[in-house]
Amino acid sequence: MEKYDIKDAKLAEGGRLRIEWAEREMPVLRLIRERFTRERPLAGLRASACLHVTSETANLMRTLQAGGADVVLTASNPLSTQDDVAAALVNVYEIPTFAIKGEDNVTYYKHLHAALDHNPQMTMDDGADLVSVLHKERRDLLPGVVGGTEETTTGVIRLRAMAADNALNFPIIAVNDAMTKHFFDNRYGTGQSTIDGIVRATNVLLAGKTFVVAGYGWCGRGLANRARGMGANVVVTEVNPLPALEAVMDGFRVMPMNEAARIGDFFCTVTGDLNVIDEHHFELMKDGAIVANSGHFNVEINIPALEKMSLHKRLVRPFVDEYTLADGRRIHILGEGRLINLASAEGHPASVMDMSFANQALSLEYMLKNYSKLEKKVYAVPEEIDREIARLKLDGMGIDIDTLTPEQVKYLNSWEEGT
Ligand SMILES: NC(=O)c1ccc[n+]([C@@H]2O[C@H](COP(=O)([O-])OP(=O)(O)OC[C@H]3O[C@@H](n4cnc5c(N)ncnc54)[C@H](O)[C@@H]3O)[C@@H](O)[C@H]2O)c1
């Protein structure tokens, strides 16, 4: 097995500084790492992780290593890797890493296989690509795998579909479904970092522009609110009446994409769905429209259709492809339609990843203790872990809250006391 595959080992020092910078905003993970160093709860565990290779992920890897795990890391998206972080993981922290920003699909899958060559007992995934390759192409390794974790909405949906088909061979904990994950990471993390990615890629003013958000789930709520905060006129598109209604009452204009396509200056998809912006939408867009995606896969925008409709395509700035249509209109696609917050920015701020990755670390520990009792299904993060992370996060922020009095506990548990 190759030991690692990174862009340039000489970038390691810059990566180390970036990892240390992120760590300052990750007090919960730091507390877990201190306990893991003392107790070594993961001693000897072989784990293969497929996560965005960022400074925050590096701090998770260090935490698992401190707990005694023998861990390797591969990227969960071809464009999300921070090459200096990958270099530091290998050279400073001695964690085998397979990830190069901008790698093609062949290399991406070669790296997934390299991570699986580690013969893992546990998997950690962000989007379920590792588990999918394991079940489709590396079934010989399945008998050795006892459990795994999954980071994102799209991965959890894929894994639940596998479990429903009786195709899943081991239990998985859905880290995404922890409240200390999606309430914060998907909403505030995606909200801020997606705006950051769009601004870094384009440097176009948002104030006064029409910004279309497709999908009003956890990510969409965060993004719509942050876009409004930048002074944009925000339009939301949805397919589910409930979040659509919520968007209306949160003060956004809601309309079908067919209408939004005509008026948008910016578009960003965050649905986890396919072809949300399609050929007939490009037909309607204004000259100069800027189109991005912050959902997990690059299928939300139908880029192959746009390629076919276009006379020319050129890279006009890093992460900005300009497509010129037959009638002269130009459509700009950011970051090849891949998660824009990771392609042109740095992903979520460390403070939210602190909670997401605290869930990862504690879920892995929980899985190791409990896998023999679990079925081949997708499980929620245990509520005690979720609450403990919220408590530690508040502690880390120096915020105290009230405690129920015995009288209040009694009242809240009784049905006799009424009007
Ligand atoms: N960019 C990031 O760093 C990041 C972080 C977390 C999650 N994600 C990804 O973002 C995506 C959304 O995650 P979420 O947690 O918000 O999911 P969610 O399930 O809470 O929300 C998705 C919303 O999209 C809506 N939707 C589906 N198809 C649609 C369509 N054709 N048009 C308009 N709306 C549509 C759904 O009704 C739903 O309300 C997933 O792919 C997830 O994996 C990305």
Side-chain angles (χ1 to χ4, degrees):
M1 172 188 145
E2 280 182 75
K3 282 219 202 78
Y4 57 84
D5 192 15
I6 55 174
K7 184 168 180 206
D8 183 358
K10 290 197 288 298
L11 301 172
E13 187 48 27
R16 188 173 66 84
L17 289 175
R18 204 205 272 246
I19 293 166
E20 288 173 2
W21 177 255
E23 192 201 6
R24 295 179 200 197
E25 288 274 306
M26 304 183 88
V28 180
L29 202 60
R30 193 166 53 239
L31 283 174
I32 294 171
R33 188 160 68 247
E34 284 163 14
R35 177 171 70 75
F36 275 16
T37 305
R38 287 192 307 276
E39 298 177 5
R40 306 275 291 171
L42 308 178
L45 173 72
R46 276 192 318 280
S48 298
C50 175
L51 300 167
H52 300 300
V53 180
T54 65
S55 52
E56 295 79 18
T57 304
N59 281 305
L60 171 62
M61 294 297 113
R62 292 173 62 200
T63 304
L64 304 181
Q65 190 183 48
D70 172 9
V71 62
V72 302
L73 176 65
T74 185
S76 56
N77 184 289
L79 262 190
S80 63
T81 297
Q82 295 167 357
D83 288 316
D84 51 359
V85 168
L89 276 163
V90 169
N91 277 22
V92 181
Y93 302 106
E94 295 179 5
I95 294 171
T97 300
F98 303 88
I100 298 172
K101 185 166 180 131
E103 63 196 16
D104 59 17
N105 258 27
V106 174
T107 312
Y108 177 75
Y109 278 97
K110 193 182 91 185
H111 286 163
L112 287 182
H113 280 281
L116 289 173
D117 289 341
H118 189 50
N119 200 2
Q121 294 157 306
M122 295 231 194
T123 59
M124 303 175 86
D125 237 326
D126 186 333
D129 276 348
L130 196 68
V131 168
S132 172
V133 170
L134 184 58
H135 282 73
K136 285 199 284 210
E137 295 169 43
R138 302 295 297 272
R139 295 194 66 83
D140 54 306
L141 299 174
L142 280 175
V145 186
V146 297
T149 61
E150 168 55 51
E151 172 76 7
T152 198
T153 316
T154 285
V156 172
I157 291 171
R158 291 177 84 189
L159 293 166
R160 290 226 160 91
M162 281 180 81
D165 278 352
N166 288 323
L168 187 64
N169 216 60
F170 49 85
I172 299 238
I173 296 187
V175 166
N176 183 71
D177 292 0
M179 282 179 278
T180 45
K181 200 281 184 180
H182 65 266
F183 277 21
F184 304 95
D185 167 319
N186 300 31
R187 179 164 41 178
Y188 303 116
T190 311
Q192 175 167 321
S193 61
T194 301
I195 294 289
D196 185 16
I198 291 171
V199 170
R200 285 200 212 189
T202 62
N203 199 25
V204 169
L205 188 74
L206 294 179
K209 301 278 171 44
T210 299
F211 192 109
V212 179
V213 176
Y216 202 67
W218 290 102
C219 295
R221 289 180 183 107
L223 178 57
N225 275 291
R226 292 302 176 255
R228 173 156 64 188
M230 296 292 281
N233 295 307
V234 178
V235 168
V236 168
T237 72
E238 251 299 339
V239 289
N240 181 336
L242 271 172
L245 189 58
E246 190 184 345
V248 171
M249 296 216 182
D250 283 344
F252 298 108
R253 279 186 293 163
V254 175
M255 61 184 77
M257 186 57 85
N258 266 341
E259 285 173 38
R262 295 174 194 279
I263 58 172
D265 299 299
F266 292 89
F267 296 82
C268 189
T269 49
V270 262
T271 67
D273 197 2
L274 178 76
N275 295 339
V276 176
I277 296 185
D278 211 339
E279 183 172 350
H280 56 286
H281 301 124
F282 293 124
E283 298 284 8
L284 303 170
M285 283 183 189
K286 296 197 280 197
D287 178 35
I290 291 172
V291 184
N293 166 52
S294 210
H296 190 76
F297 287 119
N298 63 338
V299 297
E300 304 210 13
I301 306 168
N302 191 347
I303 297 178
L306 181 61
E307 299 261 357
K308 279 200 199 126
M309 296 162 74
S310 302
L311 297 180
H312 315 286
K313 170 188 170 186
R314 58 177 186 150
L315 187 71
V316 289
R317 290 166 61 90
F319 305 108
V320 185
D321 281 316
E322 179 191 80
Y323 291 81
T324 306
L325 306 183
D327 60 6
R329 278 177 306 125
R330 291 155 302 175
I331 310 272
H332 301 107
I333 299 284
L334 306 189
E336 300 166 20
R338 299 191 191 275
L339 298 148
I340 194 59
N341 60 333
L342 283 143
S344 58
E346 293 171 71
H348 293 354
S351 182
V352 288
M353 294 318 293
D354 189 26
M355 288 187 279
S356 306
F357 286 164
N359 274 293
Q360 283 282 6
L362 297 184
S363 294
L364 210 67
E365 181 186 28
Y366 176 88
M367 182 61 88
L368 191 57
K369 280 195 194 135
N370 293 288
Y371 68 86
S372 57
K373 289 176 253 164
L374 301 179
E375 293 171 47
K376 297 169 179 179
K377 289 198 316 206
V378 179
Y379 285 87
V381 173
E383 204 185 311
E384 347 36 293
I385 291 183
D386 219 351
R387 272 178 192 275
E388 177 64 3
I389 290 171
R391 192 185 65 74
L392 291 174
K393 189 70 181 172
L394 283 171
D395 272 359
M397 298 165 104
I399 294 169
D400 217 356
I401 59 170
D402 287 323
T403 310
L404 289 172
T405 62
E407 181 192 32
Q408 288 168 335
V409 172
K410 185 162 169 273
Y411 176 78
L412 292 172
N413 284 303
S414 70
W415 54 271
E416 284 125 335
E417 285 186 54
T419 316

